Amino acid sequence: MARLKLAVLISGRGSNLQALIEACRNPAYPAEIVLVLTSEPDAPGLERAKAAKIPTRVVDHHDFSDRPAFETALTAEIEAAGATLVCLAGFMRLLGGEFVRRWRDRLINIHPSLLPAFKGLHTHERALEAGVRVAGCTVHFVREETDHGPIIVQAAVPVHPGDDAATLAARVLVQEHVIYPLAVRLIAEGRVKIVAERVVVAGAGAPTGALVNPAFEL
Ligand code: GAR
Protein backbone atom coordinates (compact mmCIF):
# COMPACT_ATOMS: atom_id res chain seq x y z
CA MET A 1 0.00 0.00 0.00
CA ALA A 2 1.21 3.54 -0.78
CA ARG A 3 2.59 5.35 2.22
CA LEU A 4 0.91 8.53 3.43
CA LYS A 5 3.02 11.54 2.47
CA LEU A 6 3.76 13.91 5.33
CA ALA A 7 4.88 17.52 5.44
CA VAL A 8 6.33 18.32 8.87
CA LEU A 9 6.38 21.97 9.94
CA ILE A 10 8.93 22.97 12.57
CA SER A 11 10.28 26.11 14.20
CA GLY A 12 12.93 24.82 16.56
CA ARG A 13 14.95 21.85 17.71
CA GLY A 14 12.78 19.26 15.95
CA SER A 15 12.78 16.39 18.43
CA ASN A 16 9.24 15.43 17.41
CA LEU A 17 10.36 15.58 13.79
CA GLN A 18 13.14 13.18 14.79
CA ALA A 19 10.60 10.79 16.33
CA LEU A 20 8.66 10.80 13.06
CA ILE A 21 11.87 10.30 11.06
CA GLU A 22 12.71 7.26 13.19
CA ALA A 23 9.22 5.80 12.79
CA CYS A 24 9.34 6.29 9.01
CA ARG A 25 12.66 4.41 8.82
CA ASN A 26 10.68 1.22 9.40
CA PRO A 27 9.52 0.06 5.95
CA ALA A 28 6.34 -1.30 7.57
CA TYR A 29 5.38 2.16 8.88
CA PRO A 30 2.55 3.45 6.67
CA ALA A 31 3.85 7.03 6.23
CA GLU A 32 6.89 8.86 4.87
CA ILE A 33 8.10 12.44 5.24
CA VAL A 34 8.32 14.18 1.86
CA LEU A 35 9.01 17.70 3.15
CA VAL A 36 10.25 19.52 6.24
CA LEU A 37 9.10 23.11 6.17
CA THR A 38 9.98 26.01 8.45
CA SER A 39 9.62 29.75 8.69
CA GLU A 40 12.88 29.99 10.66
CA PRO A 41 16.02 29.85 8.48
CA ASP A 42 18.07 28.86 11.56
CA ALA A 43 15.76 26.16 12.94
CA PRO A 44 18.14 23.51 14.33
CA GLY A 45 15.67 20.81 13.31
CA LEU A 46 16.53 21.42 9.65
CA GLU A 47 19.79 19.56 10.24
CA ARG A 48 17.85 16.48 11.34
CA ALA A 49 15.95 16.51 8.05
CA LYS A 50 19.12 16.98 6.04
CA ALA A 51 20.81 14.13 7.90
CA ALA A 52 17.86 11.92 6.94
CA LYS A 53 18.00 13.17 3.31
CA ILE A 54 14.52 14.68 3.51
CA PRO A 55 13.86 17.77 1.34
CA THR A 56 13.65 21.01 3.35
CA ARG A 57 12.19 24.39 2.49
CA VAL A 58 12.32 27.69 4.35
CA VAL A 59 9.37 30.05 3.89
CA ASP A 60 10.50 33.08 5.87
CA HIS A 61 7.52 35.08 7.10
CA HIS A 62 9.64 38.26 6.90
CA ASP A 63 9.51 37.93 3.11
CA PHE A 64 5.74 38.37 3.01
CA SER A 65 3.60 41.45 3.51
CA ASP A 66 0.84 39.66 5.39
CA ARG A 67 -0.13 36.33 6.87
CA PRO A 68 -2.35 35.15 4.01
CA ALA A 69 0.54 35.61 1.54
CA PHE A 70 2.90 33.71 3.87
CA GLU A 71 0.38 30.90 4.25
CA THR A 72 -0.26 30.71 0.50
CA ALA A 73 3.48 30.12 0.10
CA LEU A 74 3.41 27.40 2.76
CA THR A 75 0.51 25.68 1.00
CA ALA A 76 2.31 25.91 -2.36
CA GLU A 77 5.36 24.11 -0.92
CA ILE A 78 3.22 21.42 0.70
CA GLU A 79 1.27 20.82 -2.51
CA ALA A 80 4.44 20.80 -4.63
CA ALA A 81 5.88 18.09 -2.37
CA GLY A 82 2.72 16.03 -2.76
CA ALA A 83 2.04 15.81 0.96
CA THR A 84 -1.48 14.97 2.04
CA LEU A 85 -1.05 15.19 5.82
CA VAL A 86 0.49 18.25 7.46
CA CYS A 87 2.08 17.71 10.87
CA LEU A 88 2.86 20.72 13.06
CA ALA A 89 5.81 19.70 15.23
CA GLY A 90 6.74 22.64 17.40
CA PHE A 91 5.65 25.10 14.69
CA MET A 92 5.30 28.28 16.70
CA ARG A 93 3.61 30.63 14.23
CA LEU A 94 -0.14 30.97 14.47
CA LEU A 95 -1.88 29.80 11.32
CA GLY A 96 -4.88 31.69 10.00
CA GLY A 97 -8.30 30.52 9.00
CA GLU A 98 -7.60 30.14 5.33
CA PHE A 99 -4.68 27.75 5.85
CA VAL A 100 -6.58 25.80 8.49
CA ARG A 101 -9.61 25.49 6.20
CA ARG A 102 -7.45 24.47 3.22
CA TRP A 103 -5.99 21.58 5.22
CA ARG A 104 -9.03 20.76 7.32
CA ASP A 105 -8.88 17.21 8.71
CA ARG A 106 -5.42 16.84 7.14
CA LEU A 107 -3.60 19.14 9.58
CA ILE A 108 -2.52 17.88 13.00
CA ASN A 109 -0.57 19.34 15.91
CA ILE A 110 1.18 18.14 19.03
CA HIS A 111 0.71 20.15 22.19
CA PRO A 112 2.48 19.59 25.52
CA SER A 113 -0.57 19.39 27.78
CA LEU A 114 -3.67 17.33 28.28
CA LEU A 115 -5.97 19.51 26.20
CA PRO A 116 -8.29 21.28 26.73
CA ALA A 117 -6.22 22.19 29.80
CA PHE A 118 -3.31 24.59 29.37
CA LYS A 119 -3.69 25.81 25.82
CA GLY A 120 -1.05 28.26 24.65
CA LEU A 121 2.50 28.78 25.85
CA HIS A 122 4.37 27.90 29.08
CA THR A 123 2.21 24.85 29.64
CA HIS A 124 4.50 23.17 32.15
CA GLU A 125 5.00 26.27 34.29
CA ARG A 126 1.23 26.74 34.38
CA ALA A 127 0.55 23.07 35.16
CA LEU A 128 2.96 23.24 38.12
CA GLU A 129 1.45 26.51 39.28
CA ALA A 130 -2.02 24.94 39.17
CA GLY A 131 -0.76 22.01 41.24
CA VAL A 132 -2.01 19.29 38.89
CA ARG A 133 -0.77 15.78 39.69
CA VAL A 134 -1.09 14.48 36.15
CA ALA A 135 0.30 16.20 33.07
CA GLY A 136 0.72 15.03 29.50
CA CYS A 137 0.49 15.73 25.81
CA THR A 138 -2.06 15.66 23.00
CA VAL A 139 -2.11 15.12 19.24
CA HIS A 140 -5.17 16.73 17.71
CA PHE A 141 -6.64 17.94 14.43
CA VAL A 142 -6.20 21.68 14.02
CA ARG A 143 -9.15 24.04 14.02
CA GLU A 144 -9.19 27.80 13.82
CA GLU A 145 -9.16 28.26 17.59
CA THR A 146 -5.59 27.77 18.86
CA ASP A 147 -4.80 24.42 20.50
CA HIS A 148 -8.32 23.22 19.92
CA GLY A 149 -9.66 20.43 17.72
CA PRO A 150 -10.62 16.75 17.72
CA ILE A 151 -8.23 14.78 19.95
CA ILE A 152 -6.52 11.77 18.37
CA VAL A 153 -4.12 10.50 21.07
CA GLN A 154 -3.14 11.64 24.56
CA ALA A 155 -0.52 10.40 27.01
CA ALA A 156 -0.53 11.18 30.72
CA VAL A 157 2.47 11.33 33.05
CA PRO A 158 2.67 11.95 36.79
CA VAL A 159 3.97 15.22 38.18
CA HIS A 160 6.75 14.39 40.63
CA PRO A 161 7.43 16.21 43.90
CA GLY A 162 10.25 18.67 43.22
CA ASP A 163 9.52 18.92 39.50
CA ASP A 164 10.35 22.15 37.76
CA ALA A 165 9.21 23.09 34.28
CA ALA A 166 12.30 21.51 32.74
CA THR A 167 11.99 18.12 34.45
CA LEU A 168 8.26 17.96 33.73
CA ALA A 169 8.79 19.02 30.10
CA ALA A 170 11.38 16.26 29.67
CA ARG A 171 9.00 13.61 31.06
CA VAL A 172 6.18 14.81 28.79
CA LEU A 173 8.50 15.01 25.77
CA VAL A 174 9.34 11.31 26.01
CA GLN A 175 5.63 10.63 25.55
CA GLU A 176 5.28 13.18 22.75
CA HIS A 177 7.77 11.08 20.83
CA VAL A 178 5.54 8.04 21.35
CA ILE A 179 2.16 9.54 20.56
CA TYR A 180 3.02 11.59 17.48
CA PRO A 181 4.18 8.59 15.44
CA LEU A 182 1.22 6.63 16.82
CA ALA A 183 -1.32 9.27 15.76
CA VAL A 184 0.19 9.46 12.27
CA ARG A 185 0.10 5.68 11.98
CA LEU A 186 -3.57 5.52 12.97
CA ILE A 187 -4.44 8.16 10.37
CA ALA A 188 -2.32 6.49 7.69
CA GLU A 189 -4.03 3.17 8.37
CA GLY A 190 -7.38 4.84 7.78
CA ARG A 191 -8.58 4.12 11.30
CA VAL A 192 -9.30 7.70 12.32
CA LYS A 193 -12.73 9.21 11.69
CA ILE A 194 -14.08 12.50 12.94
CA VAL A 195 -17.67 12.14 14.03
CA ALA A 196 -19.39 15.26 15.35
CA GLU A 197 -15.98 16.83 16.03
CA ARG A 198 -14.77 13.88 18.09
CA VAL A 199 -12.28 11.27 16.93
CA VAL A 200 -13.30 7.63 16.66
CA VAL A 201 -10.39 5.18 16.22
CA ALA A 202 -11.45 1.94 14.53
CA GLY A 203 -10.16 -1.22 16.13
CA ALA A 204 -8.54 0.50 19.09
CA GLY A 205 -8.93 -0.61 22.67
CA ALA A 206 -8.12 1.46 25.73
CA PRO A 207 -5.73 0.58 28.53
CA THR A 208 -7.15 -0.74 31.78
CA GLY A 209 -6.30 0.74 35.16
CA ALA A 210 -5.51 4.28 36.17
CA LEU A 211 -2.60 6.56 36.90
CA VAL A 212 -2.95 7.55 40.57
CA ASN A 213 -0.66 10.22 41.93
CA PRO A 214 0.60 10.42 44.67
CA ALA A 215 1.44 6.74 44.88
CA PHE A 216 0.45 5.27 48.24
CA GLU A 217 0.13 1.77 49.64
CA LEU A 218 -3.23 1.58 51.38
C1 GAR B 1 7.12 20.30 21.83
O1 GAR B 1 7.10 20.11 23.24
C2 GAR B 1 5.72 20.57 21.32
O2 GAR B 1 4.73 19.85 22.01
C3 GAR B 1 5.60 22.05 21.57
O3 GAR B 1 6.84 22.57 21.21
C4 GAR B 1 7.84 21.58 21.45
C5 GAR B 1 8.66 21.42 20.21
O4 GAR B 1 9.75 20.60 20.45
N1 GAR B 1 4.54 22.62 20.81
C6 GAR B 1 3.77 23.62 21.25
O5 GAR B 1 3.90 24.14 22.32
C7 GAR B 1 2.69 24.04 20.26
N2 GAR B 1 1.67 24.78 20.93
P1 GAR B 1 10.54 19.91 19.27
O6 GAR B 1 10.93 21.03 18.30
O7 GAR B 1 11.73 19.30 19.92
O8 GAR B 1 9.63 18.90 18.62
Side-chain angles (χ1 to χ4, degrees), residues 198-213:
R198 291 193 200 103
V199 167
V200 178
V201 182
T208 55
L211 175 61
V212 178
N213 185 26

Side-chain angles (χ1 to χ4, degrees), residues 11-28:
S11 295
R13 82 192 144 177
S15 73
N16 278 291
L17 165 65
Q18 189 68 45
L20 290 168
I21 290 172
E22 302 301 334
C24 292
R25 276 194 216 289
N26 178 354

